[in-house]
Amino acid sequence: YDIMAFQECDSRDRVLRDAALSGLWGSYRAIDGGRAMAIAYRTSRWSLLGSETVDVGEDNEHQYYGKRGAHWVRLRHRSTGKTVFFMNHHGPLPVSWGGGCTGSATSLNILQVIATRAHKGDAVVLTGDFNAHAASSRIKELDKHLDRVYSGTAMGGVDHFFTNCGKGSVGKNLGKGWGEHGSD
């Protein structure tokens, strides 16, 4: 894998060590995104251009853990020179809740971060545990602006991948292994 996103992960280095013991090879750098989020990338293929975490939502009072962020990295491929803007998100609770800072407002905040931090020509990849099903206002709003190329099945389908690279992009479930949702 070239780039990986982690949510609900307080020990990104332990996860990478365990993955290496299970057969993952290569040298990775893990960037801490705060609030138990991280992005890891393969250092032999990518160089880091920038990274930041921005608050984009907040849990509803009915299931409150706090604010929710979008963590991004901008990477340049070492051999091709192409860049990717890769964003990881762990969405507000309750699952698929709308209104306030939990529904489409969260998605619009995510899109604002992409619009102001990504550069022209970047491949954009947005992934994470959105805590939102495909029919939610959160995901429907993102569908208006990016191509959703994969939705997981765990926990009713709260994990999603979006891109600006077109509908020809594909994703697949790698099975249960490193987390409660599997390797969506």
Side-chain angles (χ1 to χ4, degrees):
Y1 310 106
D2 274 13
I3 309 169
M4 295 179 278
F6 305 113
Q7 309 86 33
E8 298 182 46
C9 179
D10 290 317
S11 183
R12 62 196 179 278
D13 294 325
R14 182 192 57 81
V15 171
L16 288 173
R17 275 193 311 275
D18 289 352
L21 292 172
S22 296
L24 180 71
W25 62 273
S27 179
Y28 288 87
R29 177 177 177 200
I31 308 292
D32 183 6
R35 295 195 182 100
M37 290 188 303
I39 297 172
Y41 67 93
R42 188 181 298 223
T43 57
S44 63
R45 294 188 182 162
W46 299 94
S47 57
L48 181 66
L49 300 175
S51 173
E52 181 183 27
T53 301
V54 179
D55 288 336
V56 294
E58 189 169 10
D59 292 334
N60 182 277
E61 63 187 14
H62 298 291
Q63 194 174 358
Y64 192 82
Y65 292 94
K67 293 185 178 184
R68 299 301 179 124
H71 175 216
W72 63 264
V73 295
R74 199 162 168 267
L75 303 167
R76 175 171 287 122
H77 195 269
R78 292 185 183 276
S79 63
T80 67
K82 293 183 179 183
T83 56
V84 63
F85 182 90
F86 187 92
M87 181 181 278
N88 182 23
H89 174 61
H90 189 208
L93 291 168
V95 169
S96 294
W97 201 268
C101 296
T102 63
S104 57
T106 296
S107 297
L108 292 169
N109 290 336
I110 288 169
L111 292 165
Q112 180 65 28
V113 173
I114 293 170
T116 58
R117 304 319 199 275
H119 294 208
K120 184 178 180 176
D122 285 358
V124 174
V125 176
L126 166 62
T127 189
D129 170 1
F130 288 79
N131 280 321
H133 302 116
S136 70
S137 63
R138 207 174 308 162
I139 301 307
K140 285 182 176 179
E141 187 63 43
L142 290 169
D143 283 340
K144 293 177 187 175
H145 305 277
L146 294 167
D147 293 318
R148 182 164 31 109
V149 295
Y150 183 77
S151 291
T153 57
M155 303 186 86
V158 296
D159 302 320
H160 305 280
F161 281 80
F162 296 87
T163 185
N164 68 341
C165 297
K167 293 277 188 194
S169 303
V170 295
K172 70 177 182 176
N173 188 320
L174 301 175
K176 199 114 170 105
W178 295 339
E180 68 180 3
H181 300 209
S183 299
D184 285 343

